[in-house]
Amino acid sequence: MRPLRIALTKGRLEEKTVELFERIGYDCTKVREKGRKLILPVGSGEIEVVLAKAADVLTYVEHGVCDMGVVGKDTILEHGGHFFEVLDLGFGRCRFALAAPSGCDFYAGYAAKTIASKYPNVARRFFEGKNMDIRVIRIEGSVELAPLLGLSDGIVDIVETGTTLKENGLAVVEDIVPISARLIVNAASMKLRKQEIEALTEKMEAEIAKKA
Ligand code: PRP
C-alpha cells in the first residue's frame, strides 16, 4: 500500500504542521531539507507529505490523490468541496473581517457598496446574510490597496494582528468569522484507511490538547 499522503499548505501552515509531526515522533528531516522537492517522506516512510498551494490542497484531497490535507478555514469557506473536516489544529489563527477607511461610516447611504476581496464568495455570503446589495471585485493580494486607491468602499480580508489595516489607514467595521488551520480527509480514504487516519488524527489531537 502506498504511504498515507498528506497535502500541506506551503508556508506557515506547513511549518506548523511539521513541528506538530515532530512533536508526535515523526522524523521530518527530509521535509526540513527539501530544497525544491514537492513530495517528501515523513517518519519511516509511512507518511508522504505533498506541498501545495492552499486551494490545491482541497483539490488533491477531494479527488483522493491525497488522503488528508492541512489547510486554512479561510480557503475551505471560500472554495468549499467534498471532504471531511476532522480537526481544528489550533494554529494559523486569524479572522475574516470587513474593513473600511478609519472614521468612515461604512453603512451610511443607500447606494450599493463595492467590496474588494481575495475571497469573493465569503464576501458575497456575508452581505447576503445582511440582505445588502453589493458589488464584489476580486483582488489577488494586498487588498488593502483597493479602498486606498478608490476602487472599493471596503474590503473583506484576513486580519491577524491588525497591523496591515492600521498602517494603511483602515479599520475593522465588523468581524465575520474566526479562522484556523484544519485537518481534512478524503471521503473514500476515510473508509479505506480508517485505522491509519484515525490513529494519526488522535495523536495530533492529543498533542494539540497538551499545548492548549
Ligand atoms: C494577509 C491579509 C492581510 C494581512 C493581515 O495577507 O490579506 O493583508 O495578512 O495580517 P495582519 O493583520 O497581521 O497585518 P498576506 O500576508 O497573506 O498577503 P496578501 O495580502 O498578498 O494575501
Side-chain angles (χ1 to χ4, degrees):
M1 205 173 359
R2 70 158 166 79
L4 200 62
R5 217 177 264 154
I6 307 181
L8 305 187
T9 302
K10 279 200 248 180
R12 221 156 10 135
L13 298 190
E14 166 197 340
E15 176 59 29
K16 291 278 180 193
T17 312
V18 167
E19 280 171 23
L20 179 59
F21 279 154
E22 286 176 339
R23 292 209 305 274
I24 59 174
Y26 290 101
D27 176 5
C28 293
T29 318
K30 295 256 165 55
V31 187
R32 294 224 175 259
E33 296 166 358
K34 62 180 183 283
R36 301 291 293 173
K37 272 192 99 151
L38 298 170
I39 303 182
L40 299 131
V42 156
S44 35
E46 66 273 39
I47 295 177
E48 208 166 58
V49 151
V50 173
L51 303 177
K53 284 261 201 181
D56 299 335
V57 168
L58 301 186
T59 304
Y60 293 135
V61 172
E62 185 163 7
H63 288 271
V65 293
C66 291
D67 305 292
M68 307 174 87
V70 172
V71 65
K73 183 71 178 176
D74 53 328
T75 307
I76 297 177
L77 288 171
E78 177 62 20
H79 297 279
H82 185 61
F83 45 76
F84 294 110
E85 192 183 310
V86 294
L87 190 60
D88 182 342
L89 294 165
F91 49 76
R93 278 189 198 282
C94 48
R95 63 199 204 268
F96 269 130
L98 166 66
S102 303
C104 90
D105 180 2
F106 177 81
Y107 291 112
Y110 294 100
K113 308 280 185 218
T114 300
I115 299 296
S117 188
K118 241 172 107 174
Y119 302 87
N121 294 325
V122 171
R124 259 184 226 109
R125 275 205 305 273
F126 174 67
F127 286 101
E128 264 166 30
K130 294 179 169 293
N131 278 320
M132 256 180 86
D133 217 8
I134 52 145
R135 187 163 74 110
V136 178
I137 298 178
R138 194 195 149 87
I139 297 289
E140 290 297 327
S142 300
V143 185
E144 294 83 2
L145 282 170
L148 298 180
L149 297 174
L151 179 68
S152 74
D153 299 293
I155 61 173
V156 164
D157 198 20
I158 288 171
V159 177
E160 192 182 350
T161 61
T163 311
T164 312
L165 291 180
K166 205 171 162 199
E167 292 195 1
N168 291 290
L170 304 174
V172 170
V173 173
E174 217 174 307
D175 283 333
I176 300 179
V177 68
I179 292 165
S180 57
R182 304 298 159 101
L183 184 64
I184 60 168
V185 179
N186 169 265
S189 302
M190 192 66 131
K191 290 192 184 134
L192 298 171
R193 306 191 69 160
K194 191 176 189 319
Q195 281 189 336
E196 284 163 278
I197 290 171
E198 278 184 358
L200 178 63
T201 306
E202 279 165 22
K203 270 193 246 174
M204 291 169 93
E205 194 174 10
E207 185 59 34
I208 292 163
K210 263 193 224 170
K211 267 202 126 186

